[in-house]
Amino acid sequence: MRIVVDLPRCQGYAQCVFLAPEVFELHGEETLLYDPAVPDEQLDRVRQAAAACPVQAILVGEQVSAGAR
Ligand code: SF4
């Protein structure tokens, strides 16, 4: 499953890092690194992370193409 993080929107709250540490990683205070190709076993965690993101910066799967306009 593909994901996209809208990095300019991301505020570095790190909710996603806590919920899916194998996919999201925070370098320094505000630089988020992530793996855009999420393995199936991480998908539930990534969906939780997307739901928990305070600024809705994480787009998952079907939202990726819709959000990339
Ligand atoms: S939870 Fe959202 S705002 Fe926080 S680091 Fe992750 S993507 Fe960025």
Side-chain angles (χ1 to χ4, degrees):
M1 182 68 82
R2 305 288 299 177
I3 63 167
V4 169
V5 178
D6 184 349
L7 292 175
R9 184 184 281 203
C10 168
Q11 299 294 316
Y13 291 115
Q15 301 292 343
C16 56
V17 181
F18 289 121
L19 287 164
E22 295 189 19
V23 175
F24 301 102
E25 196 179 344
L26 208 50
H27 276 223
E29 300 250 315
E30 288 192 353
T31 305
L32 184 72
L33 301 180
Y34 67 102
D35 183 354
V38 175
D40 286 350
E41 67 271 16
Q42 291 291 322
L43 200 51
D44 282 352
R45 287 172 169 271
V46 166
R47 287 196 191 279
Q48 285 179 28
C53 176
V55 293
Q56 282 94 49
I58 304 170
L59 304 177
V60 181
E62 56 283 356
Q63 295 173 302
V64 169
S65 44
R69 270 172 284 166

